[in-house]
Amino acid sequence: MVEFTTEPFELDTFPEHAAAARKAVDEAGLAVSVGPFGTGAEGEAEKVLAAVTKLLKETLDAGATRISVQLSVLGEEDGTP
């Protein structure tokens, strides 16, 4: 599982860097959940790692000045780290 937030925050628009991050996880086929402080995505380890690599490159290219990323390994039985 990966959780991420891109900055700078823009309250009146959906910034280009946020759209690039969402596109990266969507295209990887991950299960995405958007929360008030960031976005989470779950999937197979290789897909998550590939999505993170793409997310970092494309969000920086789209103007992000900071990207916070947290990776967790979830248990197979109950989905907990």
Side-chain angles (χ1 to χ4, degrees):
M1 177 179 164
V2 61
E3 295 176 89
F4 59 91
T5 303
T6 62
E7 297 179 40
F9 298 115
E10 296 177 26
L11 299 178
D12 57 342
T13 65
F14 193 69
E16 194 174 320
H17 57 80
R22 178 61 190 260
K23 183 178 177 186
V25 294
D26 282 340
E27 288 179 350
L30 305 178
V32 178
S33 61
V34 178
F37 302 108
T39 301
E42 293 184 34
E44 296 174 10
E46 292 301 319
K47 288 183 180 182
V48 170
L49 294 174
V52 168
T53 299
K54 184 176 181 179
L55 181 152
L56 293 172
K57 180 181 180 340
E58 293 187 5
T59 55
L60 289 170
D61 288 348
T65 57
R66 178 181 297 202
I67 306 163
S68 301
V69 176
Q70 179 176 319
L71 292 172
S72 300
V73 176
L74 301 179
E76 292 184 22
E77 295 99 32
D78 59 2
T80 60

